[in-house]
Amino acid sequence: MTNERYPEVPEGFSEGEPPRGIGSQRLAVLGDPVGHSRSPQLQLAAYRALGRRWEYSRWRIPAGGLAAALGARGQGWRGFSVTAPLKAEALAFASEVSPDARRSGAVNTLVFDSLEPGAPARGENTDIPGIVRAFGERGLERIEGVAQVLGAGETAASVAIAAQRLGASRVEIFARRPERAEALAERLGDGVAGLSLADWRPGDDVAFVGDTVPGGYVPTTDPGRVPAGAALLSAAYHPWPTPLAELWLGAEAPVVTGLDMLLHQAVLQVRLFGGSAIDESLPNEADVVEAMRAALS
């Protein structure tokens, strides 16, 4: 496959709207910072496997700037992946949002109704089903016990909802600012509690810990042993392993990585960007997933 037919992974990121290249349709990941994002490798691998001549780049948009930037966008945009700190702004920008996006307060996928500038956008949160898929791939179909989520941001909301979907009996959200954890717990409803991160310990009834702290949570005191059978989701993938991942790996306990989560939510984005429903498989999806996985290695 030649460069003339398929765009290369872009270097760095664009401060303004990325220029249009040779691709017939454009996509990008939005955020700040965004230069580290692995999404271009993932997405372009999928489109090459599918035979689609699409572009995918990185577009740095600082907090508070999403609506203005996308409102002035040019021709040819099919959609965007959205990362921190723009997921709440993407929720407000979208003309229509899914129940998962509404409940989590976060949109990580914008899909436009057409390629015309000013076309309305639909908002989705693929992180939630992506986490469920990542757990299933590891043979973890159910959470039998308490789920603890470290952090209270948009990723934490998605992890908490995914834990509920996997059957957690209770969800505890721990944050450095307990009032943020309490606010998120109140929004998510019954069976969810907000607590101080300073008080976090994985008790014997804990079946799942989701670490959504940027860069990975660094315990200030010894967290103790890993509860028997408890799984860890470590959302950060750079640097790796995170401190909690080291603890879990040392105990030979199940670990779902941030790259697992990134891969599976991206597969669902590829479905949506191609005009399919989120639960509608791609043509030869197993081959597409393996191509995407290889692009991460």
Side-chain angles (χ1 to χ4, degrees):
M1 296 181 182
T2 65
N3 293 347
E4 288 73 23
R5 187 173 178 198
Y6 292 100
E8 291 297 320
V9 175
E11 294 290 337
F13 60 90
S14 296
E15 288 284 359
E17 180 175 346
R20 188 164 187 173
I22 64 171
S24 61
Q25 299 183 42
R26 294 198 281 174
L27 297 153
V29 56
L30 314 177
D32 185 21
V34 78
H36 68 288
S37 175
R38 304 284 290 277
S39 291
Q41 288 94 326
L42 274 174
Q43 298 271 343
L44 287 173
Y47 302 132
R48 287 166 182 159
L50 291 165
R52 296 174 183 168
R53 187 172 167 271
W54 293 0
E55 299 174 18
Y56 192 104
S57 54
R58 303 178 183 91
W59 184 354
R60 177 180 172 270
I61 298 178
L66 183 140
L70 299 193
R73 71 186 185 277
Q75 176 80 16
W77 287 106
R78 189 168 191 89
F80 294 102
S81 306
V82 184
T83 189
L86 302 175
K87 292 181 181 180
E89 292 180 43
L91 178 73
F93 176 81
S95 300
E96 176 187 345
V97 298
S98 71
D100 274 352
R102 180 71 64 192
R103 184 160 185 247
S104 64
V107 159
N108 79 332
T109 310
L110 290 168
V111 184
F112 296 112
D113 289 351
S114 76
L115 302 180
E116 296 299 318
R122 291 173 284 119
E124 181 59 89
N125 182 330
T126 65
D127 284 336
I128 297 168
I131 292 165
V132 172
R133 283 170 56 98
F135 267 72
E137 185 179 62
R138 301 275 176 161
L140 303 168
E141 303 291 345
R142 293 280 297 171
I143 294 174
E144 303 287 351
V146 173
Q148 296 181 327
V149 180
L150 313 184
E154 292 147 352
T155 301
S158 297
V159 172
I161 295 170
Q164 290 178 319
R165 197 158 292 173
L166 287 163
S169 59
R170 174 179 166 84
V171 177
E172 298 173 346
I173 299 171
F174 295 81
R176 291 192 176 95
R177 293 167 53 194
E179 64 274 15
R180 289 194 66 196
E182 292 165 1
L184 177 55
E186 183 176 358
R187 178 153 57 85
L188 295 183
D190 293 341
V192 186
L195 302 159
S196 170
L197 189 56
D199 297 330
W200 173 71
R201 296 292 183 279
D204 289 338
D205 59 347
V206 170
F208 166 78
V209 174
D211 179 8
T212 73
V213 175
Y217 175 57
V218 180
T220 54
T221 59
D222 184 356
R225 66 178 181 83
V226 174
L232 173 73
L233 168 64
S234 183
Y237 55 83
H238 182 75
W240 182 261
T242 61
L244 290 187
E246 283 191 311
L247 181 64
W248 253 253
L249 292 168
E252 299 184 349
V255 175
V256 177
T257 73
L259 289 179
D260 295 332
M261 175 180 165
L262 180 68
L263 169 64
H264 285 288
Q265 67 80 29
V267 173
L268 302 180
Q269 287 186 331
V270 173
R271 291 178 180 179
L272 293 169
F273 290 145
S276 299
I278 195 170
D279 58 356
E280 182 181 348
S281 295
L282 297 164
N284 303 313
E285 182 161 288
D287 293 338
V288 175
V289 172
E290 288 312 305
M292 296 172 75
R293 196 189 310 277
L296 286 176
S297 62

